[in-house]
Amino acid sequence: MKFIDAKSIKFEYTRYDEEKDISIPVCALNGVDLSVEKGDFIAILGHNGSGKSTLAKILNGLLLPKEGTVVVSGEMLKDEKSIWTARTKLGMVFQNPDNQIIASVVEEDVAFGPENLGFSPEKIKENISFALDAVGMNDYRYATPSNLSGGQKQRIAIAGVLAMKPECIVFDESTAMLDPIGRKDVIKVASYLNREHGMTVIMITHFMDEAAKANKIFVMNEGVIVKSGTPSEIFSDVEYMRGLRLDVPIASEIVYELNTAFNKKIPSGIVTSEALVRYILSQKPPKNVNFEQREHRSVHNEPILQVKGLTHIYGEKTAFERVALKDINIEIYSGEFVGIIGHTGSGKSTLTQHLNALITSEKGEVLFKGENILKDKENIKKIRQKIGLVFQYPENQLFEENVYDEIAFGPKNMGIDEEEIKKRVASSLKMVELDESYCKKSPFSLSGGQKRRVAIASVLAMKPEILVLDEPMAGLDPMGRRAILSNIRKMRDELGITILLVSHSMEDVSEVCDRILVMNEGKVEMLDTVYNVFKNVNRLKQIGLDAPEVSLIMHELRQEGINVPDDVYSVRDAADIIGRLLNGE
Amino acid sequence: MNVTLGQYYPSDSIIHKLDPRTKIIGTMLYIAMVFLSNNIISYGICTLLFVYLAKVSHVPVLMAIRGLKGMVFIIIITALFNIFFIKTGNTIIKTPLINITDDGLFTTISLCLRLVLIVCTSSFLTFTTTPISLADGVERLLRKPCSFTKISSSEIGMIMSIALRFIPTLIEELDKIKKAQQARGADFENGGLIKRAKNMIPLLVPLFLSSFRRADELAMAMESRCYRPDMKRTKLRELKYTKNDYYAYGVILFLLAVVVVVSLVWSMK
């Protein structure tokens, strides 16, 4: 039975052009046909601005198409009445968990939907219990949402939809702002609802491993669906996906490398790591292969930053007392690239904010080139100039009329003269790969990824010696992520800045970092080379972290008795090793 | 980050468990009671009620008295005006400059006492009621009067509860923006009044923008969950009076009656 049947949908919105002072219509959807069977698990992929979210909003009647017809559960969306009926059948979970929770108590938030539908209090209570059970949040029935983690809030949002007993849930990038644990929990709930309750699930996402769980994928580009098929079909065409500014799962990428660079004939239907490992084992590779162990370099310059015995307690001596940092001792060397990992609440943000004295502590010191910055209130501006800090979602701090002033804000505060500021703006823009024509544009007219880069440039313009970035890639599409990562790498290589990168992506960290700082419950769990950190896969998993997908594949193979090296993180290296393994070398 | 709203003092005393409507109306009756008082007996009753509330609600008396901090200035000014400018009655102290009468003294004392009692006692309303249930109570109390007008009390209630829900979120957001701008060298502490006001721009612009974005997304999420302001909604928990609420009403009305009678008798003397 068809649950959704949308035919040739067109949608336009108007965008205001500042320079020409006119409104231009922009085509967001240009003839989309979408048909979803009841009980399907659908993923919709597409880069930012490809029209995915617009499509989702049309299915929910939040937007009305300019042309075309939408039928949801047998009901054509054409008037008020049909739209309200459709919304009871098709619920939506949005991206930002904070902006979809209405009440101050979990239970009351979940009740919001059923209350709107005029259910009796008994029925509402019953539905709340069902919904909270389904998302595994029954223990939090009387909790305050603002005290929950992002993943928990998002599960409450799902419960809020479930309490209306819909037949379908649309997830509009609902995992984009979550940490890995939160993401996993949300995906688990989605799969469970699909499997156990026959719920139709439509998942719009930028994470390819999530899409690989669907039974059908639709790929969108420029307002149309350009391709549809099973994950195996979609992800086997790696070049096509990259052409659309998208990614494929790691396993597909390795298979692609093997088939192109090593002339293997591996069936292209492999999309998960488990399937890849199974395939390799089925080929009966030799157990004893000689792989040369590589050298692990680490920078050992002068220490530029030292943290000694740092302890921080929030709300000391109140009912809300919480130890955020406990006796932190670390040393960062000049010119080093250090990754910081740890799940939400492990103390990463508290630590990074100490590094340029935004938070200060009585206990412990932070030494920049031997000077304690927590005590030196006079030179605080100078220190903040030397140690740049880019916050999470830095585009939310933009406020100036144009990009030039935005980037010049920092240097101006430092009292630098106009001539030098000009130079700095130009060089910072260049570093984030935006040309000078952007100077006059309003930062608010830019795309999400561009805004983010302007925000990073605005910190870079202060010429910091150390740059701390708090999840600079969060919430971007695959292409946007790659662009930012390559910018950061360039800063290190060309400017010689010491970089500290907080990230949830083990792939990114293993790719660019020299050493990794692992935080857990306010303490330093490890600070070591990439190799020495990711070698402890089991310990990392215990504290809610993971190793890069590639090294997990290698780990699996080693468990099977094949002595592949344990220091492989990149797709290229993995393809090289597996290729040799399959050749029987 | 934990943000406590208002001055709610968590406990599970009888007072905490009372219906918010009882507490709101009770507070109003208490204020009336204080204003009707004009003699030592009725003031005594009012004061005793304050002490009793403090004891039963488990809220430390000191906390209730601390609420006066903001009022001290006003109380002193009113006291001075009264004591120096009331000329009726018998003179107690006479100097060339000031002339204090017994009437003046009594009015001053009773006025101060009234202010102190009202401020301290009504603070129990916010000590023992969460902002959200306070909003609930106001919504429910307005329902009847609103039904005669075009204003919908459930919309007012929704506005109040959403505002309360977003206060911690926005405080957190403001803190984040502030730190981000400080990291870019912004200075919010130094400089003159105008300079400081100007320095607020990097805080306020992003905060406004994000508030609008949030409002937009929230409206969408609410609509998606079938919120229709024009339709009748049901409520998960409709406020319901319990036995204790009737007792509370009984006590306060009885005391009010006593105060009225005593005051009438006193003034006829």
Side-chain angles (χ1 to χ4, degrees):
Chain A
M1 195 188 113
K2 265 188 193 166
F3 182 73
I4 293 173
D5 192 14
K7 287 211 174 76
S8 49
I9 303 174
K10 285 191 183 177
F11 184 81
E12 267 177 12
Y13 64 92
T14 47
R15 192 174 61 95
Y16 177 69
D17 189 307
E18 257 181 286
E19 280 160 43
K20 293 182 196 114
D21 195 23
I22 43 163
S23 298
I24 350 170
V26 183
C27 181
L29 294 178
N30 195 8
V32 171
D33 294 309
L34 180 76
S35 139
V36 176
E37 296 289 320
K38 201 166 165 36
D40 266 357
F41 194 133
I42 302 286
I44 300 180
L45 299 175
H47 63 81
N48 280 343
S50 61
K52 306 174 307 264
S53 288
T54 310
L55 178 61
K57 280 168 197 157
I58 282 179
L59 295 180
N60 200 227
L62 290 170
L63 297 173
L64 284 176
K66 193 176 152 233
E67 277 174 44
T69 56
V70 188
V71 177
V72 174
S73 189
E75 184 108 20
M76 169 108 70
L77 302 193
K78 53 181 193 303
D79 50 21
E80 275 277 295
K81 190 173 159 284
S82 60
I83 285 170
W84 291 112
T85 326
R87 283 182 192 155
T88 63
K89 304 238 166 92
L90 182 143
M92 229 170 131
V93 181
F94 296 84
Q95 184 179 26
N96 191 334
D98 274 326
N99 297 354
Q100 49 187 323
I101 287 177
I102 291 117
S104 304
V105 181
V106 166
E107 181 189 57
E108 289 188 14
D109 186 71
V110 178
F112 181 72
E115 283 177 346
N116 291 335
L117 297 178
F119 289 176
S120 69
E122 292 72 40
K123 179 120 199 279
I124 296 176
K125 262 177 219 156
E126 202 183 298
N127 286 12
I128 293 173
S129 300
F130 157 76
L132 286 176
D133 260 339
V135 299
M137 289 290 289
N138 226 336
D139 293 344
Y140 295 89
R141 193 166 178 148
Y142 304 106
T144 311
S146 60
N147 293 341
L148 300 178
S149 75
Q152 288 173 327
K153 280 184 206 163
Q154 209 62 314
R155 273 147 71 200
I156 295 304
I158 298 175
V161 170
L162 279 180
M164 298 163 71
K165 298 265 176 139
E167 294 166 41
C168 172
I169 298 189
V170 179
F171 292 88
D172 188 4
E173 289 188 41
S174 308
T175 56
M177 297 178 80
L178 306 182
D179 67 352
I181 299 178
R183 264 181 62 198
K184 252 180 228 161
D185 286 342
V186 167
I187 296 300
K188 216 160 68 190
V189 168
S191 308
Y192 163 82
L193 291 172
N194 177 255
R195 208 177 48 239
E196 301 296 325
H197 294 272
M199 189 87 68
T200 313
V201 171
I202 299 176
M203 182 152 282
I204 295 171
T205 181
H206 284 316
F207 294 104
M208 302 305 145
D209 51 330
E210 290 173 6
K213 292 204 164 59
N215 53 23
K216 197 170 182 191
I217 296 179
F218 291 94
V219 183
M220 289 194 71
N221 190 38
E222 310 295 326
V224 284
I225 291 180
V226 286
K227 206 171 178 187
S228 66
T230 62
S232 305
E233 284 163 11
I234 298 290
F235 291 133
S236 57
D237 202 345
V238 177
E239 272 161 56
Y240 180 78
M241 292 296 277
R242 284 192 183 150
L244 297 179
R245 301 183 48 191
L246 292 170
D247 241 342
V248 297
I250 300 281
S252 305
E253 221 177 317
I254 296 177
V255 171
Y256 170 76
E257 281 289 322
L258 284 166
N259 286 350
T260 51
F262 294 89
N263 286 318
K264 293 277 164 218
K265 295 267 178 309
I266 302 175
S268 53
I270 295 173
V271 293
T272 62
S273 300
E274 297 84 54
L276 179 63
V277 170
R278 257 197 319 264
Y279 172 79
I280 296 169
L281 294 176
S282 75
Q283 298 298 304
K284 304 248 169 338
K287 297 248 164 181
N288 255 319
V289 200
N290 268 331
F291 292 105
E292 63 285 0
Q293 199 77 24
R294 287 179 302 176
E295 257 182 70
H296 295 282
R297 99 198 154 94
S298 58
V299 191
H300 255 282
N301 297 341
E302 302 260 291
I304 188 166
L305 193 69
Q306 291 159 291
V307 179
K308 287 184 181 164
L310 186 65
T311 296
H312 189 82
I313 302 165
Y314 282 114
E316 199 166 2
K317 288 182 191 123
T318 68
F320 304 111
E321 185 171 290
R322 190 171 64 84
V323 180
L325 292 176
K326 209 170 176 186
D327 194 22
I328 304 286
N329 290 291
I330 51 175
E331 245 176 29
I332 307 292
Y333 305 112
S334 169
E336 213 182 3
F337 200 138
V338 178
I340 303 178
I341 59 176
H343 63 82
T344 310
S346 60
K348 290 173 306 193
S349 299
T350 312
L351 176 63
T352 50
Q353 288 177 26
H354 271 95
L355 298 183
N356 70 355
L358 281 172
I359 305 180
T360 56
S361 256
E362 292 301 314
K363 291 174 210 130
E365 29 188 42
V366 176
L367 306 173
F368 172 67
K369 293 183 169 170
E371 219 178 303
N372 188 359
I373 63 169
L374 298 185
K375 288 275 161 334
D376 199 355
K377 289 265 181 284
E378 316 273 288
N379 282 326
I380 203 124
K381 268 196 179 179
K382 214 161 153 199
I383 278 151
R384 289 188 180 148
Q385 182 180 353
K386 294 287 174 213
I387 308 170
L389 177 53
V390 178
F391 273 81
Q392 221 175 357
Y393 301 101
E395 59 273 22
N396 290 349
Q397 70 194 6
L398 303 179
F399 69 98
E400 285 283 8
E401 269 173 57
N402 58 51
V403 170
Y404 180 91
D405 288 342
E406 194 68 62
I407 299 178
F409 179 70
K412 254 184 210 154
N413 286 330
M414 305 299 169
I416 289 158
D417 65 78
E418 202 55 41
E419 220 26 58
E420 171 70 13
I421 289 180
K422 241 181 218 163
K423 271 191 229 155
R424 287 192 180 188
V425 172
S427 68
S428 309
L429 269 177
K430 210 171 139 213
M431 225 357 107
V432 295
E433 280 159 347
L434 293 173
D435 57 63
E436 299 219 359
S437 70
Y438 282 93
C439 278
K440 289 208 182 67
K441 287 188 183 164
S442 157
F444 303 109
S445 68
L446 307 179
S447 78
Q450 287 169 335
K451 270 188 211 161
R452 175 102 28 120
R453 282 189 270 168
V454 168
I456 295 176
S458 76
V459 174
L460 210 54
M462 299 192 294
K463 287 213 170 166
E465 291 180 36
I466 301 176
L467 186 62
V468 186
L469 300 117
D470 192 354
E471 286 187 66
M473 278 93 72
L476 296 179
D477 65 1
M479 204 59 151
R481 296 180 70 93
R482 233 171 285 150
I484 300 268
L485 198 60
S486 94
N487 289 161
I488 298 171
R489 211 199 303 227
K490 210 165 78 180
M491 289 167 207
R492 206 278 284 265
D493 294 346
E494 289 179 17
L495 305 177
I497 305 179
T498 307
I499 289 179
L500 275 76
L501 173 71
V502 178
S503 177
H504 281 315
S505 162
M506 304 302 146
E507 272 71 32
D508 295 346
V509 171
S510 67
E511 193 184 326
V512 295
C513 296
D514 302 316
R515 287 196 302 162
I516 296 175
L517 168 63
V518 185
M519 297 286 295
N520 183 39
E521 289 175 356
K523 283 185 257 181
V524 174
E525 178 77 29
M526 301 175 220
L527 173 58
D528 216 326
T529 56
V530 174
Y531 170 68
N532 283 334
V533 166
F534 286 132
K535 165 169 97 168
N536 303 308
V537 182
N538 294 331
R539 178 62 191 148
L540 288 175
K541 283 194 171 168
Q542 260 173 27
I543 59 174
L545 296 170
D546 228 331
E549 193 72 31
V550 168
S551 74
L552 288 178
I553 294 175
M554 292 296 146
H555 185 74
E556 280 299 307
L557 289 174
R558 287 174 69 84
Q559 298 274 312
E560 294 294 332
I562 302 167
N563 71 330
V564 288
D566 56 358
D567 60 346
V568 184
Y569 311 107
S570 75
V571 168
R572 255 239 89 107
D573 293 345
D576 182 45
I577 284 162
I578 296 170
R580 283 163 62 190
L581 204 60
L582 294 177
N583 283 343
E585 280 171 24
Chain B
M1 193 167 74
N2 256 309
V3 185
T4 32
L5 255 187
Q7 45 181 358
Y8 182 64
Y9 183 86
S11 166
D12 59 351
S13 74
I14 314 173
I15 308 291
H16 282 76
K17 282 188 202 137
L18 285 180
D19 190 291
R21 287 171 294 172
T22 314
K23 286 185 265 188
I24 295 170
I25 293 176
T27 307
M28 291 197 225
L29 292 175
Y30 182 81
I31 293 172
M33 204 160 109
V34 171
F35 274 110
L36 290 170
S37 301
N38 63 357
N39 60 75
I40 192 138
I41 300 168
S42 45
Y43 279 126
I45 293 174
C46 294
T47 314
L48 275 177
L49 188 55
F50 165 72
V51 175
Y52 174 75
L53 279 174
K55 194 166 175 295
V56 178
S57 67
H58 303 309
V59 177
V61 185
L62 262 177
M63 266 182 83
I65 294 173
R66 213 175 293 158
L68 284 172
K69 241 181 2 195
M71 299 282 296
V72 169
F73 187 67
I74 298 175
I75 293 176
I76 290 176
I77 292 286
T78 10
L80 289 177
F81 264 89
N82 275 295
I83 208 159
F84 294 137
F85 292 107
I86 292 180
K87 299 272 188 264
T88 55
N90 307 320
T91 301
I92 313 171
I93 302 168
K94 192 170 169 68
T95 63
L97 261 180
I98 47 172
N99 183 14
I100 296 174
T101 65
D102 59 351
D103 260 11
L105 196 64
F106 182 74
T107 319
T108 306
I109 291 173
S110 66
L111 211 88
C112 288
L113 198 61
R114 276 179 187 173
L115 281 172
V116 170
L117 282 174
I118 289 172
V119 171
C120 290
T121 310
S122 60
S123 69
F124 281 116
L125 178 63
T126 44
F127 278 131
T128 62
T129 324
T130 58
I132 199 77
S133 78
L134 209 53
D136 245 12
V138 172
E139 190 250 327
R140 191 62 222 276
L141 285 173
L142 287 177
R143 199 177 289 174
K144 196 85 209 172
C146 276
S147 64
F148 299 112
T149 66
K150 279 198 173 150
I151 309 160
S152 141
S153 76
S154 74
E155 271 174 62
I156 296 174
M158 186 59 70
I159 292 168
M160 284 191 292
S161 72
I162 286 178
L164 289 169
R165 142 81 186 86
F166 273 90
I167 288 172
T169 311
L170 289 178
I171 290 176
E172 219 168 291
E173 172 114 37
L174 184 65
D175 181 60
K176 222 186 291 171
I177 296 170
K178 187 175 164 200
K179 280 181 180 159
Q181 307 298 29
Q182 279 178 328
R184 291 162 79 193
D187 188 349
F188 301 115
E189 273 112 42
N190 302 314
L193 198 66
I194 295 172
K195 185 150 184 281
R196 264 160 85 170
K198 232 177 113 189
N199 287 349
M200 294 307 263
I201 294 172
L203 281 189
L204 295 181
V205 173
L207 188 69
F208 267 76
L209 284 171
S210 104
S211 305
F212 283 125
R213 197 173 46 239
R214 282 181 195 282
D216 193 40
E217 285 178 25
L218 183 75
M220 197 119 69
M222 287 172 72
E223 224 182 297
S224 166
R225 278 160 77 182
C226 293
Y227 178 66
R228 304 169 73 175
D230 50 329
M231 293 290 274
K232 204 172 153 37
R233 308 178 68 227
T234 46
K235 284 204 101 181
L236 168 66
R237 291 190 197 291
E238 192 61 82
L239 289 175
K240 242 201 236 122
Y241 281 130
T242 61
K243 220 166 44 182
N244 282 337
D245 289 301
Y246 295 120
Y247 285 146
Y249 274 120
V251 168
I252 187 97
L253 285 171
F254 172 73
L255 290 178
L256 183 63
V258 170
V259 166
V260 169
V261 170
V262 170
S263 301
L264 274 176
V265 170
W266 188 275
S267 57
M268 278 187 294
K269 263 205 292 191

